[in-house]
Amino acid sequence: MDKPTILEAQQWASSCFDQQLKNTDPNLAASIMMDLFNWSRTQLLMRLRDVLTAAQWEAYQQAVQRIAKGEPAQYVIGKTQFYGHSFMVTPAVLIPRQETEELVDWVLTDHDDVAKSVLDIGTGSGALAISMALARPHWQVTGTDISDSAIQVAKRNAQSLGANVGWQVGDLFQPVEDKAFDLIVSNPPYISEDERPLMDQNVLDYEPHQALFADHQGLAIYERIAQQLADCLTDQGVAYFEIGFAQGKSVKHLFETALPEAHVTLRQDITGHDRMIRVQR
C-alpha cells in the first residue's frame, strides 16, 4: 500500500488484528495511532482524510505488526494511562492495571493531604507512588523495588510527571529498615505457578515474571510482609495491599495472625472479586 490516509491506515490495522488476535478492542487501531503520534481523539477525527507521511506510515506499520503478533500494545508504544496520568512502561515493569486504580482510590479516600510518610513496596513503574504523590503533595512518598531497572523507569516517570518521590533499590523493607511509615501500600507478586494455564499468553511472554509470581500458592510475599509489618508501621499506621481474586481469606488470616490487635478489612473490586486488603493498627 502506498502512503494511505489515516482512515485507510486504521482499516488496514483493524484487518491485521481481526486475522491474528482474538477479541480485539475495536478502538485499538485508533488508540495506537493517537498514542504513537500524541494526537487527541478530536485531532484524529479531523484528519481522517489526511495522508500519513512516509515516516508515520512506517512507524504505524511496525507498531501494528508487533501488536498483531501478541506483544502488548503498552510496551510497543512505550506508555500507558493510569489514574489520569501517562506512564512510561518497558518490559522491566508490569503494565499497570485498571483494578489497581481502585487501590489508589481507597487510600486517597481514607486519607486527606495531611503530612504523612508513605511507602510503596514493589513500585515497578512507580504508578502507585507517583499517583499518590501527585494527589497528596504533602505526603512524603518513597518507592522501593528489588529491580534496579524498574526503579530507573519509576524515576523517569516521576521526573516527567513532576512527582516528588524518593526511590530505593532493595528487597521489600530492606532499603528502608529502621524506619516506620504512616501508610504502606503494595501491589506485590501474588500469582501462583498453578495459575499459568489461566493467564494470557502475551503476559507470560512479555511481562517480568519476578513481578508476577510468588511461591506458596502466591502468598510468599504477603507472608514476608506480614512478619515485618508491625515494625514498619507507626502506631496509628495503615497498610493497603492488592491481592489475587482467590486469596482474600488467606491473606486476611495472615495479617490477622501477624497483627492480632489490627483491624483487617477485605474489599472487592468493581467486578465483585476480592481484590484489596486494609490493615489498620
Side-chain angles (χ1 to χ4, degrees), residues 9-278:
Q10 289 182 59
Q11 291 170 337
W12 167 81
S14 294
S15 176
C16 291
F17 296 145
D18 289 343
Q19 293 174 26
Q20 298 187 59
L21 297 176
K22 296 179 181 178
N23 303 318
T24 307
D25 178 354
N27 296 314
L28 181 58
S31 296
I32 294 168
M33 191 169 284
M34 289 188 293
D35 286 339
L36 201 59
F37 304 134
N38 293 313
W39 292 343
S40 68
R41 184 165 294 279
T42 299
Q43 289 173 319
L44 180 72
L45 293 174
M46 291 177 62
R47 298 175 178 178
L48 288 178
R49 300 298 177 185
D50 291 356
V51 175
L52 291 175
T53 68
Q56 288 173 333
W57 176 224
E58 179 65 24
Y60 189 63
Q61 287 181 91
Q62 290 181 2
V64 167
Q65 288 164 353
R66 289 171 62 186
I67 294 166
K69 292 177 181 177
E71 190 172 349
Q74 296 90 336
Y75 288 153
V76 173
I77 302 300
K79 60 185 177 182
T80 192
Q81 294 294 312
F82 182 86
Y83 214 73
H85 306 290
S86 180
F87 285 85
M88 182 184 80
V89 289
T90 76
V93 300
L94 287 184
I95 298 166
R97 264 54 174 196
Q98 185 176 4
E99 55 263 30
T100 307
E101 294 182 336
E102 296 186 55
L103 184 64
V104 177
D105 266 337
W106 196 7
V107 176
L108 297 180
T109 299
D110 280 356
H111 305 277
D112 59 19
D113 195 21
V114 174
K116 294 182 184 295
S117 57
V118 184
L119 176 64
D120 174 24
I121 302 170
T123 195
S125 65
L128 279 170
I130 292 168
S131 297
M132 292 188 295
L134 291 173
R136 299 288 186 264
H138 289 99
W139 290 4
Q140 183 179 359
V141 183
T142 300
T144 68
D145 202 288
I146 197 170
S147 166
D148 179 67
S149 296
I151 289 294
Q152 296 309 313
V153 173
K155 285 181 176 179
R156 290 180 62 182
N157 279 322
Q159 183 175 15
S160 67
L161 292 168
N164 183 20
V165 180
W167 307 104
Q168 299 286 340
V169 178
D171 188 22
L172 300 184
F173 296 104
Q174 176 268 322
V176 290
E177 58 187 0
D178 301 326
K179 293 183 181 179
F181 293 85
D182 300 313
L183 292 177
I184 293 174
V185 181
S186 184
N187 177 19
Y190 58 68
I191 300 174
S192 168
E193 290 287 344
D194 296 343
E195 295 180 67
R196 280 180 181 266
L198 305 176
M199 299 175 66
D200 291 339
Q201 192 59 45
N202 66 343
V203 174
L204 293 172
D205 288 346
Y206 292 98
E207 299 204 45
H209 288 198
Q210 184 181 46
L212 290 169
F213 296 100
D215 293 335
H216 299 176
Q217 299 300 305
L219 299 174
I221 305 301
Y222 299 118
E223 291 169 349
R224 293 180 57 205
I225 290 175
Q227 292 169 4
Q228 302 174 64
L229 191 59
D231 294 329
C232 298
L233 269 180
T234 56
D235 290 342
Q236 302 298 317
V238 189
Y240 298 80
F241 304 95
E242 183 170 320
I243 62 173
F245 70 92
Q247 295 175 324
K249 290 182 179 179
S250 298
V251 177
K252 189 171 187 287
H253 177 71
L254 273 175
F255 286 109
E256 287 174 337
T257 302
L259 288 85
E261 79 287 357
H263 181 65
V264 182
T265 305
L266 175 63
R267 175 176 281 199
Q268 296 179 327
D269 62 22
I270 196 171
T271 65
H273 293 116
D274 289 346
R275 185 62 62 186
M276 294 162 278
I277 288 277
R278 180 180 64 193

